[in-house]
Amino acid sequence: MSDNSAGTGRDIQADLAFVKALVTEGSRVQISGGALYLAGGVCYGLQCLAQWAHMVGIVNLGLWGNLIAGFLPTIVFLAVMCVILWRDRKVPKNGVATRALNAAFSSAGLANLFMVGVFAYVAITEKSMLIWLLYPITICAFQGAVWYTAYMIRKQIWLAVISAGWFVTTLTLGFLLGTPHYVLVLGLALSVIMGGGGWYMMTQARK
Protein backbone atom coordinates (compact mmCIF):
# COMPACT_ATOMS: atom_id res chain seq x y z
CA MET A 1 0.00 0.00 0.00
CA SER A 2 1.34 3.40 -0.94
CA ASP A 3 1.83 6.23 1.51
CA ASN A 4 -1.08 8.09 -0.10
CA SER A 5 -3.38 5.10 0.32
CA ALA A 6 -2.29 4.66 3.91
CA GLY A 7 -2.85 8.35 4.56
CA THR A 8 -6.29 8.19 2.99
CA GLY A 9 -7.14 5.17 5.14
CA ARG A 10 -6.07 6.99 8.26
CA ASP A 11 -8.10 10.04 7.21
CA ILE A 12 -11.22 7.92 6.71
CA GLN A 13 -10.74 6.24 10.08
CA ALA A 14 -10.24 9.63 11.71
CA ASP A 15 -13.39 10.99 10.05
CA LEU A 16 -15.41 7.96 11.14
CA ALA A 17 -14.10 8.29 14.68
CA PHE A 18 -15.01 11.98 14.70
CA VAL A 19 -18.54 11.32 13.44
CA LYS A 20 -18.97 8.49 15.95
CA ALA A 21 -17.84 10.79 18.76
CA LEU A 22 -20.35 13.46 17.72
CA VAL A 23 -23.21 10.95 17.55
CA THR A 24 -22.27 9.39 20.88
CA GLU A 25 -21.91 12.77 22.55
CA GLY A 26 -25.23 13.98 21.20
CA SER A 27 -27.10 10.83 22.22
CA ARG A 28 -25.64 10.80 25.73
CA VAL A 29 -26.48 14.43 26.32
CA GLN A 30 -29.96 13.93 24.89
CA ILE A 31 -30.60 10.86 27.07
CA SER A 32 -29.46 12.73 30.18
CA GLY A 33 -31.55 15.78 29.35
CA GLY A 34 -34.54 13.59 28.60
CA ALA A 35 -34.14 11.75 31.90
CA LEU A 36 -34.09 15.05 33.79
CA TYR A 37 -37.22 16.28 32.02
CA LEU A 38 -38.98 12.97 32.56
CA ALA A 39 -38.12 13.01 36.26
CA GLY A 40 -39.18 16.64 36.64
CA GLY A 41 -42.43 16.12 34.76
CA VAL A 42 -43.40 13.04 36.76
CA CYS A 43 -42.39 14.48 40.16
CA TYR A 44 -43.93 17.92 39.84
CA GLY A 45 -46.83 16.80 37.66
CA LEU A 46 -47.95 14.31 40.32
CA GLN A 47 -47.41 16.98 42.97
CA CYS A 48 -49.80 19.38 41.21
CA LEU A 49 -52.37 16.65 40.53
CA ALA A 50 -52.30 15.60 44.19
CA GLN A 51 -52.80 19.20 45.28
CA TRP A 52 -55.66 19.64 42.82
CA ALA A 53 -57.35 16.47 44.11
CA HIS A 54 -57.01 17.85 47.64
CA MET A 55 -58.37 21.27 46.65
CA VAL A 56 -61.53 19.88 45.00
CA GLY A 57 -62.16 17.38 47.81
CA ILE A 58 -61.37 14.14 45.99
CA VAL A 59 -58.80 13.24 48.66
CA ASN A 60 -57.84 14.73 52.01
CA LEU A 61 -54.05 14.80 52.26
CA GLY A 62 -53.95 16.12 55.79
CA LEU A 63 -50.92 17.78 57.38
CA TRP A 64 -48.43 15.00 56.67
CA GLY A 65 -49.78 14.40 53.20
CA ASN A 66 -49.35 18.05 52.31
CA LEU A 67 -45.82 18.06 53.71
CA ILE A 68 -44.90 14.96 51.72
CA ALA A 69 -46.48 16.36 48.56
CA GLY A 70 -44.63 19.61 49.12
CA PHE A 71 -41.11 18.29 49.69
CA LEU A 72 -40.83 14.74 48.32
CA PRO A 73 -40.98 15.67 44.59
CA THR A 74 -38.06 18.09 44.97
CA ILE A 75 -36.03 15.57 46.98
CA VAL A 76 -36.57 12.86 44.36
CA PHE A 77 -35.80 15.21 41.47
CA LEU A 78 -32.60 16.50 43.08
CA ALA A 79 -31.49 12.94 43.74
CA VAL A 80 -32.05 11.98 40.09
CA MET A 81 -30.24 15.13 38.94
CA CYS A 82 -27.22 14.39 41.15
CA VAL A 83 -27.00 10.82 39.82
CA ILE A 84 -27.16 12.00 36.20
CA LEU A 85 -24.62 14.79 36.70
CA TRP A 86 -22.22 12.38 38.44
CA ARG A 87 -22.64 9.77 35.73
CA ASP A 88 -22.03 12.26 32.92
CA ARG A 89 -19.28 14.27 34.60
CA LYS A 90 -16.67 13.04 32.09
CA VAL A 91 -18.84 13.14 28.97
CA PRO A 92 -17.49 15.81 26.57
CA LYS A 93 -19.93 18.41 25.27
CA ASN A 94 -17.98 19.94 22.42
CA GLY A 95 -20.52 19.75 19.59
CA VAL A 96 -21.77 23.10 18.33
CA ALA A 97 -25.44 22.10 18.48
CA THR A 98 -24.98 20.52 21.90
CA ARG A 99 -23.31 23.62 23.30
CA ALA A 100 -26.02 25.84 21.79
CA LEU A 101 -28.80 23.75 23.33
CA ASN A 102 -27.04 23.63 26.68
CA ALA A 103 -26.68 27.41 26.58
CA ALA A 104 -30.38 27.86 25.77
CA PHE A 105 -31.64 25.56 28.52
CA SER A 106 -29.11 26.89 31.04
CA SER A 107 -30.12 30.47 30.28
CA ALA A 108 -33.77 29.62 30.81
CA GLY A 109 -32.88 27.91 34.08
CA LEU A 110 -31.00 30.96 35.33
CA ALA A 111 -33.86 33.24 34.33
CA ASN A 112 -36.31 31.01 36.21
CA LEU A 113 -34.06 31.03 39.28
CA PHE A 114 -34.04 34.81 39.46
CA MET A 115 -37.74 35.14 38.61
CA VAL A 116 -38.80 32.85 41.46
CA GLY A 117 -37.09 35.23 43.87
CA VAL A 118 -38.86 38.24 42.36
CA PHE A 119 -42.30 36.65 42.39
CA ALA A 120 -41.85 35.25 45.91
CA TYR A 121 -40.76 38.63 47.28
CA VAL A 122 -43.60 40.56 45.64
CA ALA A 123 -46.19 37.92 46.60
CA ILE A 124 -45.07 38.01 50.26
CA THR A 125 -44.85 41.81 50.51
CA GLU A 126 -48.19 42.27 48.76
CA LYS A 127 -49.74 39.30 50.60
CA SER A 128 -51.14 38.08 47.30
CA MET A 129 -51.26 34.42 46.24
CA LEU A 130 -52.43 35.63 42.82
CA ILE A 131 -49.01 37.19 42.18
CA TRP A 132 -47.27 33.92 43.09
CA LEU A 133 -49.52 32.01 40.69
CA LEU A 134 -48.13 34.12 37.86
CA TYR A 135 -44.73 32.45 38.34
CA PRO A 136 -45.68 29.05 36.81
CA ILE A 137 -47.13 30.91 33.83
CA THR A 138 -43.75 32.60 33.36
CA ILE A 139 -42.03 29.21 33.59
CA CYS A 140 -44.29 27.79 30.87
CA ALA A 141 -43.52 30.75 28.61
CA PHE A 142 -39.76 30.26 29.15
CA GLN A 143 -40.14 26.57 28.38
CA GLY A 144 -41.99 27.35 25.16
CA ALA A 145 -39.21 29.73 24.12
CA VAL A 146 -36.35 27.35 24.90
CA TRP A 147 -38.00 24.42 23.14
CA TYR A 148 -38.61 26.64 20.13
CA THR A 149 -34.90 27.47 20.19
CA ALA A 150 -34.18 23.73 20.22
CA TYR A 151 -36.46 23.33 17.21
CA MET A 152 -34.65 26.10 15.30
CA ILE A 153 -31.33 24.35 15.98
CA ARG A 154 -32.36 20.74 15.37
CA LYS A 155 -35.21 21.30 12.88
CA GLN A 156 -37.20 18.41 14.34
CA ILE A 157 -41.00 18.74 14.32
CA TRP A 158 -41.52 17.14 17.72
CA LEU A 159 -39.53 19.95 19.32
CA ALA A 160 -41.91 22.49 17.77
CA VAL A 161 -44.86 20.47 19.10
CA ILE A 162 -43.42 20.59 22.63
CA SER A 163 -42.87 24.34 22.27
CA ALA A 164 -46.44 24.88 21.06
CA GLY A 165 -47.73 22.81 23.98
CA TRP A 166 -45.98 25.08 26.47
CA PHE A 167 -47.29 28.24 24.80
CA VAL A 168 -50.85 26.86 24.78
CA THR A 169 -50.42 25.98 28.46
CA THR A 170 -49.25 29.54 29.16
CA LEU A 171 -52.43 31.00 27.66
CA THR A 172 -54.68 28.42 29.31
CA LEU A 173 -53.22 29.06 32.76
CA GLY A 174 -53.75 32.77 32.26
CA PHE A 175 -57.47 32.22 31.67
CA LEU A 176 -57.77 29.79 34.61
CA LEU A 177 -55.82 31.91 37.10
CA GLY A 178 -57.39 31.71 40.56
CA THR A 179 -59.46 28.58 39.86
CA PRO A 180 -58.80 24.96 40.96
CA HIS A 181 -58.52 23.96 37.31
CA TYR A 182 -55.35 26.06 37.13
CA VAL A 183 -53.50 23.46 39.22
CA LEU A 184 -55.04 20.60 37.22
CA VAL A 185 -53.89 22.02 33.87
CA LEU A 186 -50.43 22.75 35.28
CA GLY A 187 -50.15 19.18 36.57
CA LEU A 188 -51.24 17.72 33.24
CA ALA A 189 -48.82 19.97 31.35
CA LEU A 190 -45.90 18.95 33.55
CA SER A 191 -46.79 15.26 33.30
CA VAL A 192 -47.57 15.14 29.58
CA ILE A 193 -45.50 17.90 27.98
CA MET A 194 -42.43 17.87 30.23
CA GLY A 195 -42.49 14.20 31.20
CA GLY A 196 -43.60 13.03 27.77
CA GLY A 197 -41.10 15.29 26.05
CA GLY A 198 -38.30 13.90 28.20
CA TRP A 199 -39.36 10.32 27.48
CA TYR A 200 -39.51 10.96 23.72
CA MET A 201 -36.13 12.70 23.82
CA MET A 202 -34.62 9.58 25.41
CA THR A 203 -36.35 7.34 22.86
CA GLN A 204 -35.05 9.36 19.92
CA ALA A 205 -31.51 9.34 21.34
CA ARG A 206 -31.50 5.54 21.70
CA LYS A 207 -32.49 5.15 18.07
Side-chain angles (χ1 to χ4, degrees), residues 107-119:
S107 298
L110 284 174
N112 292 338
L113 181 63
F114 283 97
M115 290 305 295
V116 68
V118 172
F119 278 102

Side-chain angles (χ1 to χ4, degrees), residues 24-64:
T24 302
E25 173 193 319
S27 64
R28 285 183 181 179
V29 172
Q30 194 168 332
I31 289 174
S32 297
L36 281 174
Y37 265 87
L38 177 59
V42 171
C43 289
Y44 294 112
L46 291 178
Q47 180 188 50
C48 289
L49 293 176
Q51 291 175 343
W52 170 79
H54 176 75
M55 290 172 63
V56 298
I58 296 176
V59 296
N60 184 9
L61 295 177
L63 175 61
W64 285 105

Side-chain angles (χ1 to χ4, degrees), residues 47 62-75:
Q47 180 188 50
L63 175 61
W64 285 105
N66 276 296
L67 286 174
I68 292 172
F71 291 101
L72 184 60
T74 298
I75 294 173

Side-chain angles (χ1 to χ4, degrees), residues 18-19 21-27 29 91-103 153-154:
F18 177 71
V19 172
L22 287 179
V23 173
T24 302
E25 173 193 319
S27 64
V29 172
V91 176
K93 300 176 179 65
N94 299 321
V96 175
T98 299
R99 285 188 282 119
L101 288 175
N102 283 343
I153 294 172
R154 296 291 189 186

Side-chain angles (χ1 to χ4, degrees), residues 110-131:
L110 284 174
N112 292 338
L113 181 63
F114 283 97
M115 290 305 295
V116 68
V118 172
F119 278 102
Y121 172 77
V122 176
I124 292 172
T125 54
E126 295 295 327
K127 297 181 176 60
S128 173
M129 179 59 68
L130 192 64
I131 293 176

Side-chain angles (χ1 to χ4, degrees), residues 141-154:
F142 276 130
Q143 288 295 317
V146 77
W147 281 94
Y148 182 75
T149 302
Y151 164 71
M152 294 299 292
I153 294 172
R154 296 291 189 186

